[in-house]
Amino acid sequence: MALLEVRDLRTTFRTDDGLVTAIDGVSFSLEKGQVLGIVGESGSGKSVTSLSIMGLLPRGSAATSGQVLLDGRDLLTLGEEEMRKIRGQEIAMIFQDPMTSLNPVYTVGWQLIEAVRLHQDVSQTAATKRARDMLAAVGIPNPDERLRQYPHEFSGGMRQRVMIAMALANDPKLLIADEPTTALDVTTQAQILELIRRLRTDFDSAIVMITHDLGVVAEICDDVLVMYGGRVAEQGGVDDIFARPRHPYTWGLMGSMPSRSHGMDRLQSIPGSPPSLLRPPPGCRFSPRCPYVMDICRGDPPPPLRQVEDDPHFHVEACHLDAASKREEAARLLAAQEIVR
Amino acid sequence: MTEPILRITDVVKHFPVRRGIIFKREIGRVQAVDGVSIDVRKGETVGIVGESGCGKSTLARCIARLHDVTSGTIEFMGRDITNLTRNEMRPIRRDMQMVFQDPYASLNPRLRVGQIIGEPLVIHGRGTEAEIKARVQDLLDRVGLNPEHYNRFPHEFSGGQRQRIGIARALALEPKLIVCDEPVSALDVSVQAQILNLLTDLQRDFDLTYVFIAHDLDVVRHVSDRVYVMYLGKIVEAGTGAEIYGHPRHPYAASLLSAVPVPDPVLARSKQRIVLQGDVPSPLNPPSGCRFHPRCPRAQVLCSSDEPQATSFGGEHLASCHFPVARWPLADPADIRRPDPAATVE
Amino acid sequence: MIRYTIRRVLWGVLVLLVITMVTFLLFGPVLQGQKGLSAASTICGARCTTERIAFTEAYLGLNRPWYEQYGTYLKRIVVGPSERDRERACEKRPDGSFAEDCDVGRLGTTFVRYRSVDAVIRGALGTTFSLTVCAALVWLLLSIPIGVLSALRRGSFFDRSTMVAVLWGQALPVYYFGLLALYFLAYLPNSDIAIDLVGKRFEIFPLGGYADFELANPWPWAWHMILPAGCLALQFAALYVRMLRSQMLSIMGEDYIRTARAKGAPGRRVVVRHGLRNALLPLVTMFGMDIGILIGGAILTEITFGLDGIGHEAVRAVRDLDVPLTSGIVLVGALAIVTMNILVDLFYAVLDPRVRLS
């Protein structure tokens, strides 16, 4: 049994302008020690997915359906108190902006100890020791001294390490990282990615990595979920997706990256802007921006997820274009791209 | 070789830090930019790349004379503009425009798009109302916006469209040089590509020169003819894109390049990385000698005492390092480690 | 932290010095220049001869240069009244001592009531202080829970009714509320109308006045305080509810609140330890300033409820052209504000570690 199995997750928000379906039928599963990447641009629903799993969306205005099975237990059926016990203990989360994610008025030690004592019935001394050990484990020098300092005395990279230490304090089975390196400089990003890579083996937890950067995906993920407008565009193993991308949005994302377009005068950009979830386009949500759009794409129902025929592993995509054209187009586009290294 | 359109010589920008009960005394200086020299030739794009706190945005503001420099000179189109007053700068600003990072913050929310783009034309008295309107609509069309949207407000546009408005405003007076300060870093990947393409097209059509400042190495490489790498207020390496990205000589440039995630899982697995330790030191009290030495995997005693001078590596390639990187791409982790002191003494 | 404290206190002393200087100059030499307003002519009355005025001026030391006068004035404030001040104010006994009830003070003697300014202010301060403390307690106890609940249930019926009440509370002046309260809770139940309606009088609340606080029986004091403190508190509570609500709304949207929830902190802990703790920060500044201002005199409330507090004394002093009393009250008010300001800054530095080091 998979550690985490998400089946047909659907989250709807009630807003002044009516119901908004922020994510619409997302399914995936994740084994222990695996890293799943969720890639997408703003409004793709990638962050809502993680908050839905954590049960952190406001209960009044957000409705989530489907199943989120953690070790076979459906989290969506749990009450707030049961869910609270799971948050921070079985599933932990780190966020994009380490500068604002720690409470400015408490010491780092206080916040780490709080994380420990919320879930473990241990003494203050034991919790302090655990906090200290966690700081050391994420590579923070002088952990004893650092425990007594406030977040503003830490740099961005160090704060993200504190967030990771706090997330791992209770040995969670699953770590959700929501754009953990986006706000960091590239050398700090490399440090944090290195740390996550190491922790994945040391702590043996599964990781959901939410990012907009295909580079980060290629560096540390095993599986990828490409999301667009709240739906899955393409999903599969990282090697399969990069070697045989089958959805025009994935192509566009790859073509938009300067690092994959070495020597080209122009990038293969995607026209238009990411869709507003308030008024998503009918049919395939990528259709208004898709260069391969056909009449069928604009009408309901949206294209279903289909297995990519020439891939032996699990690799699905949702596009009406016929398989042969997609094969040819992907091959043509990839041949044109030269990757900077 | 063409005469540079912009020549920055030894520019220093220090921000004094003052403290005191009643009388403020200076207790230190943030050495944001410390002796930077850059040449920009007509029609080219010069990229300036570095991490946050390296001084690249301060440099951009010095070039546009939004900051007064502490010392050094800035020559633009053959004229020394270092000490010009606001009034004297006005005619110069026609030829030198800026595009900023945040398309949300840099547009006045209460003005209509037509007014925003037309404002520089009105200030400089370019034509009648009707002529200006026609010109603004032409500009909107040029940057890929609907000329009909002349009367809309900035909030009615998406992030990418707002950046297009910012670019149109910069273009209004037909400048020779545009200083772009992180123009695409707030945008989604797909939109970022559109804006980069737009900048490329405009450069070709209007014979523009760009100074392009960004933290994203891939973006800088894509747009730039020549690149300067900054660290803690100094240029550590300079050269054409091919020279720097093909074989970085400064260990900082090499670390930066090796830290960028490669968007291909197969290549990513085989790549040798240099993961720098620690954080960028404070520009208030920068390290002695080579400013990179406390974090440098190759640092020797010499590096903490003597500041390295720029050395040529052929062509336009310059790097300021006592122990430059000899082999690239890194085939072995040992390639970046401490050089054998005996081997480097010449 | 110690350096910071010293710096703040030094600043406070400097500000107070400037204030003594300004009040002295305004009420002394500046007023002196105005015909009929000079201290000497005020003291000796309307039918005063020129010699008499000159004598009074000399007696009061008003003929000396202003900086000397200021020096004397400042010296008296700092070290206390001199022998000469005592002689002037009290009868000297044959053995050279003064009567026990010799009433001289650091702030001089009032023109009108032949008491020292110190004694007048001391008498009024108790009332004002009681009023301020009671009102502050009430408005904090009211506004914190209401503000928090209102923010947490944004848009609910509770929130909307609170906002309407806040609008009323802020728009209606304290004398309006005060008079209504006095009429319905003090006058009406104890009037003939009550007899007509229910055949009995009730003394629910007094129509005004003040009773000193006594530890043995605080009830009379409290009984006199309820209406004035309540009315004053309502007005401030409205302001604080609005401030706290908007603070909570923005704080609860902060990333670290999401972090606390993601850690598995229970809802109440997230709201109180992580949310409220941060939301109260700007209110601390406001609270300190408000207390300082109120100690300088809650004029409208004191007058409405007939309380002889600092505010009431201030109005009287101005009306009577009682220069020493007016400047004394100004000084005490300034001292209250400056002190509260320093306390707030120090307290803030303890509450918010980000300002501690700078």
Side-chain angles (χ1 to χ4, degrees), chain A residues 79-220:
Chain A
E80 173 57 28
E81 178 57 21
E82 287 168 298
M83 199 55 215
R84 180 191 77 69
K85 285 184 184 141
I86 286 181
R87 287 198 288 263
Q89 184 164 34
E90 296 188 40
I91 312 178
M93 196 163 174
I94 55 177
F95 300 98
Q96 171 170 353
D97 193 350
M99 302 314 269
T100 56
S101 291
L102 288 165
N103 196 327
V105 302
Y106 296 116
T107 61
V108 162
W110 189 97
Q111 299 184 55
L112 278 162
I113 292 165
E114 181 188 36
V116 175
R117 296 192 76 184
L118 279 170
H119 298 290
Q120 299 176 36
D121 188 17
V122 294
S123 68
Q124 181 78 13
T125 328
T128 311
K129 185 175 178 310
R130 176 72 180 157
R132 190 210 155 277
D133 293 346
M134 287 314 299
L135 280 191
V138 297
I140 294 182
N142 311 324
D144 289 304
E145 191 186 320
R146 291 300 231 169
L147 277 182
R148 287 190 294 274
Q149 293 185 336
Y150 288 91
H152 71 269
E153 297 171 69
F154 287 67
S155 69
M158 283 293 162
R159 284 189 215 191
Q160 198 58 293
R161 284 173 195 265
V162 171
M163 286 296 293
I164 294 174
M166 203 154 78
L168 299 179
N170 296 307
D171 289 318
K173 296 172 184 157
L174 174 68
L175 175 68
I176 302 178
D178 189 351
E179 304 255 13
T181 59
T182 306
L184 304 175
D185 274 321
V186 56
T187 55
T188 318
Q189 165 171 294
Q191 294 172 1
I192 297 294
L193 289 181
E194 184 85 3
L195 175 67
I196 292 177
R197 233 180 255 126
R198 186 163 60 79
L199 294 174
R200 170 191 176 184
T201 34
D202 290 0
F203 285 78
D204 199 28
S205 55
I207 299 173
V208 173
M209 178 70 123
I210 291 164
T211 179
H212 68 280
D213 187 346
L214 282 176
V216 171
V217 169
E219 294 250 333
I220 74 164

Side-chain angles (χ1 to χ4, degrees), chain A residues 40-43 155-158 161 182 184-191 193-194 197 212-216 218-219 221 238-239 242 249 252-274 289 339-341, chain B residues 50-53 56 158 160-161 188-194 196-198 200-201 204 215-219 221-222 245 252 255-280 295 328-330:
Chain A
E41 299 179 279
S42 53
S155 69
M158 283 293 162
R161 284 173 195 265
T182 306
L184 304 175
D185 274 321
V186 56
T187 55
T188 318
Q189 165 171 294
Q191 294 172 1
L193 289 181
E194 184 85 3
R197 233 180 255 126
H212 68 280
D213 187 346
L214 282 176
V216 171
E219 294 250 333
C221 296
V238 72
D239 288 298
F242 276 88
Y249 177 62
L253 218 47
M254 289 178 160
S256 294
M257 298 191 73
S259 50
R260 290 185 64 96
S261 316
H262 181 43
M264 284 182 218
D265 197 23
R266 293 173 56 86
L267 302 167
Q268 304 157 6
S269 65
I270 312 172
S273 315
R289 302 177 75 192
I339 299 164
V340 173
R341 54 152 302 156
Chain B
E51 297 181 284
S52 54
K56 55 191 193 302
S158 68
Q161 289 173 320
D188 272 317
V189 187
S190 66
V191 179
Q192 168 179 312
Q194 298 167 11
L196 292 177
N197 284 343
L198 173 66
T200 311
D201 296 346
R204 190 187 55 228
H215 69 278
D216 186 323
L217 282 101
D218 295 322
V219 166
R221 173 183 209 171
H222 179 76
Y245 289 80
Y252 176 64
S255 320
L256 269 185
L257 279 179
S258 83
V260 178
V262 181
D264 183 281
V266 182
L267 288 178
R269 278 192 279 271
S270 68
K271 187 170 124 172
Q272 279 298 331
R273 294 184 188 82
I274 312 166
V275 177
L276 289 179
Q277 300 306 309
D279 294 307
V280 182
R295 303 175 74 199
W328 192 267
L330 302 172

